[in-house]
Amino acid sequence: MEVSDLYEELKSDLFRFAFSIARHEQEGKDLVQDAWIKSLREEQLLSLPRHKQKAWFYRVMKNKLIDERRKDQRLTEWDDDEADFPVHELTLGRMEMTELLSRLSPELSDIVFKRYWLELSSKEIGEQMGFPASTVRFKLQTAVKQLRRYLEEDK
């Protein structure tokens, strides 16, 4: 038996399972596709009995969905955390804000500008600057702390 034969036998069950656990149709299709790609690398899968093959696919799809949901949750939490410095609510004028940003290092100033004025994500900023997104978030947090300290000193 070949993988294509296995696909024809199991596809209706796998799609039904994927659609039952996914939020929408495309997510279900992606789960099935990812499971099939992984199955191509799993040499002993074809030697298993049919019920174990099906269980293997179900487990792979369920684990992939859990991984994706955790990833989405982490990204959402970071996006929420990044909004802790509401620049648009400050009553500073453009000149005052420019002067405040000039106190930061050019790199930190650039990150703050891209995040809050250009509204780029940490991933997009990292791609532009050659850093991982986590490094951008750390540098942004450092910059925000410095800006807060400068604002408190000026009061």
Side-chain angles (χ1 to χ4, degrees):
M1 172 176 274
E2 291 188 26
V3 175
S4 60
D5 298 331
L6 180 62
Y7 176 77
E8 288 303 319
E9 279 188 39
L10 296 179
K11 77 177 180 183
S12 64
D13 290 334
L14 296 181
F15 276 107
R16 189 176 323 117
F17 176 75
F19 293 153
S20 74
I21 64 173
R23 290 182 188 146
H24 47 78
E25 183 181 352
Q26 189 57 47
E27 187 178 46
K29 288 179 180 179
D30 289 344
L31 290 172
V32 173
Q33 180 180 356
D34 291 339
W36 279 107
I37 289 171
K38 189 168 184 169
S39 75
L40 296 174
R41 288 177 260 153
E42 198 67 34
E43 295 174 11
Q44 59 270 42
L45 183 64
L46 293 175
S47 64
L48 295 174
R50 183 72 61 232
H51 70 281
K52 287 192 176 189
Q53 290 172 339
K54 197 183 292 189
W56 183 89
F57 278 104
Y58 289 171
R59 187 175 60 250
V60 167
M61 288 190 289
K62 182 187 74 131
N63 289 342
K64 178 69 174 174
L65 183 67
I66 290 169
D67 290 346
E68 289 297 317
R69 298 270 165 85
R70 285 180 182 158
K71 178 180 158 189
D72 289 346
Q73 185 178 9
R74 280 193 317 269
L75 294 176
T76 302
E77 287 172 5
W78 272 110
D79 287 344
D80 291 344
D81 290 344
E82 286 181 348
D84 67 342
F85 184 63
V87 173
H88 59 279
E89 292 180 12
L90 289 175
T91 56
L92 299 175
R94 182 176 280 175
M95 293 297 290
E96 294 159 319
M97 186 55 71
T98 303
E99 191 274 323
L100 193 60
L101 286 176
S102 69
R103 293 183 182 181
L104 295 174
S105 70
E107 180 183 71
L108 292 179
S109 178
D110 192 31
I111 290 173
V112 170
F113 178 77
K114 288 177 178 181
R115 175 65 183 115
Y116 293 109
W117 276 271
L118 300 180
E119 298 182 359
L120 298 178
S121 69
S122 55
K123 181 180 178 185
E124 293 168 326
I125 296 168
E127 288 171 356
Q128 289 180 3
M129 299 182 80
F131 298 133
S134 59
T135 301
V136 171
R137 290 188 295 269
F138 175 78
K139 288 178 182 279
L140 183 64
Q141 184 180 24
T142 301
V144 168
K145 285 178 184 176
Q146 286 181 12
L147 289 172
R148 281 191 181 129
R149 192 172 59 243
Y150 295 151
L151 284 171
E152 289 172 4
E153 289 172 1
D154 290 346
K155 285 186 179 178

